[in-house]
Amino acid sequence: MKVINVVGARPNFMKIAPIIEELENYPSIEPILVHTGQHYSPEMSDLFFRDLGLPEPDIYLGVGSSSHAEQTAKIILEFEKVIVDIKPNLVVVVGDVNSTLAAALVGAKLQIPIAHIEAGLRSFDRSMPEEINRVLTDAVSDYLFLTEPSAQKNLLNEGIAENKMFLVGNVMVDTLLKHQNKAKESEILENLKLLPKEYALLTLHRPSNVDTVDALNTIFTILENIQKDIIVVYPIHPRAEKNIIEFGLEQKIKKLQNLKLVKPLGYLDFLKLMMYAKFVLTDSGGIQEETTVLGIPCLTLRNNTERPITVAQGSNTVVGTDIELIDREVKKILKGNGKKGKIPYLWDGKAAERIVDILNKKYVYV
Ligand code: UD1
């Protein structure tokens, strides 16, 4: 049984790693790793392959950055050739990036079953490219693996058959739990001259926060306030860096004395920074889940989340870019009253085991 596993962008790598590892336990399965090349810079891709012990991709499509249409189209064209050539029994896609949708679409049209890991999450905000990717990927997938119960409700509302859905937990948590001890050995705190719990960690890359001067100026005001009370470490995403330079905001940001701008970090260094942060500020999806597992307060700089369990049960608070609300929440955390939360059901490090067991039974015994 040939299983093609597709990755493209940074948040895909930690999701596919435990799946590949688990597939390798089954002698009847041949896992094949395809990297679309949506992310290609060493710090956005190679570093993660190294830190996560991922095998070299069997096939690299090299599509690179471009507009949504062009990037998605390039992946579709190149991935179709791969499917025609390899004739896989199954295509596994993860998350919600352009590579996820493009690969799922190609597979579905060629009548190859599609397994979507992290299915059913919805922000109900169609201005997010990821939301479009989620809805469309789920519509053409045959096996929908869910991280939280809200996903099942969303999919049922979209008319998707219940027997395609499997609540299995969170593969990103599998990776986090597996690497936590190794991350403790990282020297990133010493290298950045940071002390445990004496800094906040920031990530920012959503178009709604970094693609316009107005949005970046609002972020600047938020950071100006926070860094008066605590050091803020910001591993800067290439999208944000490009825009900050283009809008001429580089000097303004660099003037913030307690803001430490660093280049994008590998998985282990970043995990260590999360583990020892006083709190995390982010607009990422995955980091809301990772901080929930770590019990670190997370303030999400967005108006919504597709991962509501991180708010209902975890350590996440959705704050948008409301300057006063953020100020209040930060003060609360600094006084030691930040949200700790609890770890959601099935986020136990065994999601990949469950997923591959389900897939194996479907193919081998049915
Ligand atoms: C993509 C995903 C997003 C995910 C994010 C994680 C989509 C629609 N977006 O957004 O869901 O949260 O990855 O990082 O799939 N660039 C580099 N090196 C790279 C990749 C990109 O320098 O390896 C620069 C390029 O200038 C590019 C810009 O970053 O134009 C944005 O990259 P892109 O892949 O278009 O979107 P992301 O913002 O990374």
Side-chain angles (χ1 to χ4, degrees), residues 169-186:
N170 194 321
V171 284
M172 220 173 45
V173 177
D174 295 7
T175 298
L176 186 151
L177 296 177
K178 183 178 169 197
H179 288 86
Q180 227 174 338
N181 279 335
K182 217 165 162 194
K184 282 187 187 149
E185 291 165 20
S186 148

Side-chain angles (χ1 to χ4, degrees), residues 7-9 13 34-41 45 57 59-65 71 75 99:
V7 291
F13 306 134
V34 175
H35 188 334
T36 66
Q38 177 174 345
H39 281 177
Y40 45 85
S41 302
S45 180
I59 298 165
Y60 185 74
L61 304 180
V63 299
S65 301
Q71 186 176 62
I75 302 168
S99 300

